[in-house]
Amino acid sequence: MTIGLLRLADDDAPMLLKVAIRKENEAKVFDWEGDLPLRHPDRDLIIYEMHVRGYTRHESSGTKFPGTYRGVVEKLDHLKELGVNCIELMPCQEFNELEYYSYNSVLGDYKLNFWGYSTINYFSPMIRYSSSGIRSCGRDAINEFKYLVKEAHKRGIEVIMDVVFNHTAEGNEKGLSLSFRGVDNCVYYMLAPKGEYYNYSGCGNTFNCNHPVVRQFILDCLRYWVTEMHVDGFRFDLASIMTRSSSLWDSVNVYGDPLEGDLITTGTPLSNPPLIDMMSNDPVLHGVKLIAEAWDAGGLYQVGRFPHWGVWSEWNGKYRDIVRQFIKGTDGLSGAFAECLCGSPNLYQGGGGKPWNSVNFICAHDGFTLADLVTYNNKHNLANGEDNNDGESHNYSWNCGQEGEFASISVKKLRKRQMRNFFLCLMVSQGVPMIHMGDEYGHTKGGNNNTYCHDNYINYFRWDKKEESSSDLFRFFRLMTKFRRECESLGLNDFPTAERLQWHGHTPGKPDWSDTSRFVAFTLVLSHQTFMSHL
């Protein structure tokens, strides 16, 4: 197969890579060596959110192929040691890396789209994550992605992809014309009456997910990554957009003709969105993990209410916010904190859900790292070149008495204790825990909670920090994941009942649910273990 660069006469995006492929012979068949899906039960997952490039790009990784799929393979044993059995890859479908390309005078480098939430080609792994980079024009990227999946499976680690079907890299009506806009603009995007784009994604356009053509495209894409690339599941960015109507008729009869009197506005939330229905009942996707980020930028917040058909899990943003507030000492949250420990039955049990419907997390790529959560009261995003105006201002963080990394010994000691409190809570909560890359050694981004544009040390995993003898946080993480795996009372398939669960305060059997309570402890009868999380 010969692959060469193609320059279009009417080029709307000259800085993007185009390829023309001429098939001369059959491509080399990848040897999967009998690889099969691992099919870990959802309740047993311990997820690790990672960035392919950021994981090994720093020079301290010592890898032969830093910042690549092969680089990740070189460091998979770290994840095995940590005790995770599932990695969630931030976007690695081909995306527009140059979307924000501009000189950043603050750091003296150039802003790039580092996170990858701007897809160009949904059927191609990111070329620049291959060891050959753009020289391979995709040949090596495909095989190296497969190699990553195969090697992860050999270590008992599943691979989930973070995918972006809520918008594309084409932007709004003033944006680039790369693909869908030129094929059929009104089919692939939600358009307002005057032709402008509805922007429920906050990124310029909204993919018209429930249009019959578009939902078949999405289904074909997911099937490809499962059958050809052997991935084990997907996390859907801003998944609530996939529950919005695509036209005036969609809420009526999603497979037939509209019924009189049932017209609705484009983008209205659907109680039974056809795309979610198709994915949930597709035979090829049967057993594949499906995780929703159950909100969007248009105000549709569905945590605890995302249509699940018995197979979908959700990023539980409410868990994150409640746990952060309770552990930093906010009044009146001991009862809500107890719900989080039980897998959030207040959110999921009423709709027939299970504890594993809740993907619990304290930190993710978007927001403070665990170390920054206990080091900064305020965001410090000046390095982004936007005068600190970007990023979330409400982080439910506490600096433990002093702002920034330079603090007294007593403050640093308290911060370490707080980080352990957070991770202890995550590991003993029912549901599925998710760890953010770098939190296991206390990675800091200097208080920057929106590092989308930095292909530099801010986002790179620091292997030298992990190896520092003074850093004992990794040992704590490793022992806690081991404890979770070995404790049969954790990772239950059903919510704990009153017969099995007993709450305590400072006095056994006497829980304190008052507004000023800072101490919650419980016993699960099955294992006769008592777990405590307190300040």
Side-chain angles (χ1 to χ4, degrees):
M1 179 180 292
T2 299
I3 302 179
L5 295 179
L6 175 66
R7 187 67 179 266
L8 301 179
D10 236 359
D11 201 341
D12 199 14
M15 300 187 75
L16 297 177
L17 177 70
K18 288 85 175 173
V19 295
I21 302 176
R22 183 173 69 254
K23 186 174 182 181
E24 295 175 339
N25 49 50
E26 290 298 321
K28 182 180 178 181
V29 177
F30 181 81
D31 184 5
W32 281 104
E33 299 182 88
D35 178 73
L36 293 172
L38 295 176
R39 294 288 192 262
H40 293 320
D42 293 80
R43 65 178 182 273
D44 293 338
L45 293 180
I46 300 178
I47 300 175
Y48 185 90
E49 185 196 30
M50 70 149 57
H51 188 282
V52 169
R53 179 170 171 82
Y55 187 58
T56 62
R57 185 64 185 85
H58 194 267
E59 59 184 12
S60 64
S61 73
T63 55
K64 186 177 180 181
F65 303 102
T68 68
Y69 303 117
R70 294 179 68 176
V72 173
V73 172
E74 293 182 69
K75 291 293 188 178
L76 281 175
D77 288 341
H78 164 73
L79 302 177
K80 185 71 175 177
E81 182 186 8
L82 178 58
V84 304
N85 59 6
C86 179
I87 54 177
E88 181 178 301
L89 304 178
M90 288 179 65
C92 49
Q93 293 166 312
E94 188 69 32
F95 63 86
N96 183 4
E97 200 172 35
L98 301 173
E99 183 175 19
Y100 314 120
Y101 189 76
S102 61
Y103 181 70
N104 185 350
S105 61
V106 179
L107 295 184
D109 63 1
Y110 287 86
K111 295 173 65 173
L112 296 170
N113 180 351
F114 185 75
W115 283 352
Y117 293 93
S118 191
T119 311
I120 293 174
N121 190 336
Y122 288 88
F123 290 84
S124 297
M126 185 68 173
I127 291 175
R128 283 164 293 287
Y129 291 168
S130 74
S131 60
S132 301
I134 61 174
R135 296 190 305 275
S136 72
C137 293
R139 291 173 297 183
D140 293 340
I142 292 173
N143 283 341
E144 290 180 20
F145 184 94
K146 291 179 178 179
Y147 177 59
L148 166 57
V149 174
K150 182 175 71 172
E151 291 302 310
H153 285 176
K154 286 181 179 179
R155 293 164 175 80
I157 300 173
E158 294 189 334
V159 179
I160 289 176
M161 293 178 63
D162 192 341
V163 290
V164 186
F165 289 109
N166 59 79
H167 75 283
T168 76
E170 292 189 293
N172 62 19
E173 56 271 14
K174 298 179 181 179
L176 303 172
S177 292
L178 301 171
S179 54
F180 301 107
R181 193 196 307 275
V183 175
D184 199 329
N185 193 38
C186 64
V187 165
Y188 287 97
Y189 295 110
M190 292 188 187
L191 301 181
K194 295 182 179 180
E196 66 272 28
Y197 287 71
Y198 284 115
N199 188 20
Y200 297 118
S201 69
C203 297
N205 64 54
T206 305
F207 212 42
N208 204 11
C209 294
N210 281 297
H211 187 285
V213 171
V214 181
R215 64 181 186 243
Q216 187 61 54
F217 168 84
I218 294 173
L219 191 65
D220 290 343
C221 179
L222 299 177
R223 286 173 169 179
Y224 168 79
W225 287 95
V226 170
T227 58
E228 296 297 322
M229 309 297 259
H230 288 207
V231 301
D232 302 281
F234 306 93
R235 178 265 188 188
F236 296 85
D237 182 62
L238 298 183
S240 289
I241 282 176
M242 300 193 302
T243 72
R244 291 183 179 271
S245 65
S246 65
S247 71
L248 295 177
W249 304 101
D250 275 354
S251 69
V252 186
N253 185 344
V254 297
Y255 299 116
D257 297 325
L259 302 177
E260 184 177 356
D262 284 317
L263 292 174
I264 60 170
T265 304
T266 299
T268 299
L270 301 170
S271 57
N272 294 293
L275 174 60
I276 305 301
D277 189 358
M278 288 175 67
M279 288 192 284
S280 304
N281 294 290
D282 184 70
V284 176
L285 301 183
H286 178 72
V288 170
K289 274 73 176 180
L290 302 173
I291 303 173
E293 184 183 35
W295 55 84
D296 65 22
L300 182 55
Y301 192 81
Q302 296 176 304
V303 172
R305 299 182 292 109
F306 192 85
H308 62 79
W309 271 271
V311 297
W312 283 77
S313 300
E314 300 173 6
W315 268 27
N316 191 344
K318 292 185 177 180
Y319 176 97
R320 172 200 60 204
D321 295 344
I322 290 170
V323 170
R324 285 187 178 193
Q325 291 177 87
F326 176 78
I327 290 182
K328 83 181 183 71
T330 302
D331 286 343
L333 287 172
S334 56
F337 179 71
E339 290 275 4
C340 290
L341 293 172
C342 292
S344 301
N346 58 317
L347 296 177
Y348 300 106
Q349 193 170 30
K354 301 289 185 179
W356 54 262
N357 289 128
S358 174
V359 175
N360 304 326
F361 65 104
I362 308 297
C363 301
H365 68 274
D366 190 3
F368 278 153
T369 66
L370 184 61
D372 289 350
L373 188 64
V374 300
T375 306
Y376 298 94
N377 281 354
N378 305 301
K379 64 181 181 181
H380 295 265
N381 296 2
L382 286 175
N384 300 350
E386 300 179 44
D387 296 324
N388 208 40
N389 292 318
D390 63 302
E392 178 59 59
S393 295
H394 305 287
N395 297 284
Y396 302 122
S397 61
W398 178 45
N399 63 18
C400 297
Q402 292 178 263
E403 186 80 356
E405 295 184 59
F406 298 101
S408 66
I409 294 176
S410 60
V411 167
K412 289 183 177 180
K413 184 177 179 180
L414 177 57
R415 289 173 179 173
K416 287 186 175 182
R417 179 181 172 185
Q418 285 291 80
M419 286 194 284
R420 285 166 173 75
N421 275 333
F422 278 120
F423 196 67
L424 170 66
C425 171
L426 187 64
M427 287 295 108
V428 302
S429 296
Q430 301 297 331
V432 177
M434 185 184 79
I435 306 167
H436 175 50
M437 182 182 85
D439 281 347
E440 68 266 37
Y441 69 83
H443 181 77
T444 178
K445 297 181 179 180
N448 193 327
N449 69 0
N450 188 34
T451 60
Y452 70 98
C453 60
H454 296 291
D455 187 1
N456 56 41
Y457 68 93
I458 294 176
N459 281 316
Y460 294 165
F461 190 103
R462 292 289 302 273
W463 295 93
D464 53 339
K465 297 295 184 183
K466 181 219 166 181
E467 299 301 331
E468 285 182 356
S469 59
S470 60
S471 176
D472 56 355
L473 188 63
F474 177 71
R475 178 178 179 272
F476 182 81
F477 270 52
R478 177 173 55 81
L479 292 177
M480 281 305 306
T481 57
K482 182 175 184 290
F483 176 72
R484 181 181 177 90
R485 293 194 311 273
E486 294 177 352
C487 183
E488 56 184 321
S489 291
L490 302 176
L492 297 175
N493 198 47
D494 290 296
F495 296 100
T497 60
E499 292 75 23
R500 296 179 56 187
L501 180 64
Q502 185 178 13
W503 296 101
H504 312 285
H506 289 283
T507 301
K510 294 184 178 180
D512 180 4
W513 305 119
S514 67
D515 282 352
T516 57
S517 173
R518 299 290 187 271
F519 187 97
V520 173
F522 65 92
T523 301
L524 279 173
V525 174
L526 182 62
S527 64
H528 304 286
Q529 296 284 343
T530 302
F531 314 110
M532 291 172 282
S533 183
H534 60 91
L535 296 177

